[in-house]
Amino acid sequence: MDSSASSVLFGILAIAAIVLAVWLQKRRTGDTLQHNWRSLVDGLEGLVKKLEDGVPPGLVQTMLKKGEVAIDSVPVKLLEYRSGGSSYQGGSQGVSIRIAKGLSYRVGSNRGQLVRNPEALTVIDSGDATFTNQRVVFGGQSQTREWAFDKLVDFNAGDNGTQVMISVSNRQKVSGLNAESVERVQPGVLLEVAVAYANEGKAAAVEVAKNYLEQYRALEPAKKAVAK
């Protein structure tokens, strides 16, 4: 085989390898989407069952109050606004006096000061969040939090409910939860279901959960896209 033929062959093999790599990447991406979608649908189906039949024993570790009904428990990260420390700001207004070549001495006062940095949303712990018809309880490695619905001021769920920030009247700072996994029912969805249960009862909570289930079922990744 001459050199030109060999070059053509190597070129064809290189193109084939690239095409195969792209196909495999698309296949893996499609498989991941399908897997995540299936996990979310299964989770929502499980949530509807828990609402209708009750949470299985052992799933929720939180001690429930009288009349309190457990809805679900999921792994999450606890979010709060925290300052990243302090920075030194300001400067000297003194006079610099030259003593010798390359050496000077500054005379005067320094009016600089330590200023606290702006607060930023920070992950401060990981643990489990339990949702009931009365509150949300977080239990982590070093922190615990409770958001009681009778003190609920507002809540704001991000895209797909992955992150939810909760404001209550008995706590000055807004805090929240972020999902540990995309394969579970998201905390924003669970909070909406729980608040519906608190305000309007079990039937309303089931309806909210079923509405989400229908929406997610309609978002099934196309099997043609997976097979490409």
Side-chain angles (χ1 to χ4, degrees):
M1 182 180 294
D2 58 31
S3 59
S4 61
S6 297
S7 298
V8 171
L9 178 59
F10 287 139
I12 293 173
L13 291 175
I15 293 172
I18 293 171
V19 171
L20 178 61
V22 172
W23 181 87
L24 288 173
Q25 180 60 40
K26 286 185 177 180
R27 181 63 181 267
R28 284 193 291 269
T29 301
D31 288 345
T32 300
L33 289 172
Q34 186 73 21
H35 172 75
N36 291 346
W37 173 83
R38 184 71 259 172
S39 297
L40 284 170
V41 169
D42 288 346
L44 286 165
E45 289 175 345
L47 176 61
V48 172
K49 183 173 178 59
K50 291 168 192 172
L51 287 166
E52 293 178 335
D53 302 337
V55 171
L59 178 64
V60 174
Q61 303 300 319
T62 301
M63 295 292 293
L64 301 178
K65 301 176 181 179
K66 184 178 180 180
E68 189 172 18
V69 179
I71 293 173
D72 208 349
S73 181
V74 292
V76 294
K77 296 175 182 177
L78 176 63
L79 304 173
E80 282 192 355
Y81 285 95
R82 295 286 179 91
S83 172
S86 301
S87 300
Y88 188 78
Q89 296 181 2
S92 173
Q93 295 184 353
V95 178
S96 180
I97 302 174
R98 186 175 181 182
I99 300 174
K101 185 178 181 179
L103 180 63
S104 62
Y105 180 74
R106 193 168 188 84
V107 180
S109 61
N110 193 314
R111 297 185 179 181
Q113 60 180 342
L114 284 174
V115 178
R116 194 164 183 81
N117 295 333
E119 293 188 337
L121 195 59
T122 306
V123 175
I124 63 170
D125 203 0
S126 295
D128 292 318
T130 297
F131 295 79
T132 79
N133 64 330
Q134 296 183 13
R135 56 185 174 150
V136 181
V137 180
F138 170 84
Q141 299 176 9
S142 61
Q143 304 282 334
T144 59
R145 293 290 186 279
E146 178 185 277
W147 298 270
F149 294 157
D150 61 356
K151 295 179 174 61
L152 183 65
V153 175
D154 191 19
F155 68 92
N156 182 23
D159 293 341
N160 300 320
T162 302
Q163 177 179 301
V164 61
M165 302 303 296
I166 313 170
S167 175
V168 286
S169 59
N170 61 327
R171 189 175 301 120
Q172 184 176 7
K173 289 186 177 182
V174 177
S175 53
L177 304 168
N178 195 83
E180 284 278 11
S181 172
V182 297
E183 299 179 8
R184 305 289 293 268
V185 180
Q186 304 301 291
V189 174
L190 286 172
L191 182 56
E192 187 175 342
V193 170
V195 170
Y197 203 134
N199 292 335
E200 303 177 58
K202 176 179 174 179
V206 172
E207 183 179 356
V208 171
K210 285 184 175 180
N211 285 339
Y212 271 108
L213 178 57
E214 290 178 6
Q215 292 176 33
Y216 275 92
R217 280 175 174 165
L219 295 175
E220 180 179 6
K223 289 184 171 58
K224 288 183 178 180
V226 175
K228 285 182 180 179

